[in-house]
Amino acid sequence: IKTHYPAVRVGTLASDADYYGQATSRTRILIAPDMPECVTLDTLAHELAHAVCWDWQGEDQHHGPHWGVAYAETYALIHEDHT
């Protein structure tokens, strides 16, 4: 999975949403507004993993083994030291 990450657009969820984020397709992620930065980044990694699975497998893998690998990789990518 590491060799390819899909290009995604990130938008904002409606303020009354009762969840933190949603991958609506392999190219669009929605994130709840007004969250602490650490929660926003974790949610982005989570939803990007869904987009990676859609792109890689042709469908969302929900929270199965392929998604788990994608989540570990997207989490590391987002949280690595960029200094």
Side-chain angles (χ1 to χ4, degrees):
I1 295 176
K2 283 185 179 181
T3 59
H4 177 73
Y5 294 99
V8 296
R9 294 180 304 152
V10 178
T12 304
L13 279 171
S15 59
D16 62 345
D18 61 350
Y19 46 93
Y20 294 141
Q22 178 182 23
T24 60
S25 71
R26 70 179 67 181
T27 61
R28 184 154 173 82
I29 293 172
L30 301 175
I31 303 289
D34 304 322
M35 293 189 300
E37 181 178 352
C38 62
V39 176
T40 299
L41 291 175
D42 288 349
T43 302
L44 180 59
H46 179 110
E47 299 305 335
L48 183 55
H50 286 294
V52 166
C53 282
W54 255 318
D55 193 61
W56 185 47
Q57 295 283 6
E59 62 181 289
D60 183 14
Q61 297 294 309
H62 303 287
H63 297 125
H66 291 113
W67 178 87
V69 171
Y71 179 60
E73 292 179 5
T74 58
Y75 186 92
L77 177 72
I78 287 171
H79 289 287
E80 74 181 17
D81 185 8
H82 294 287
T83 58

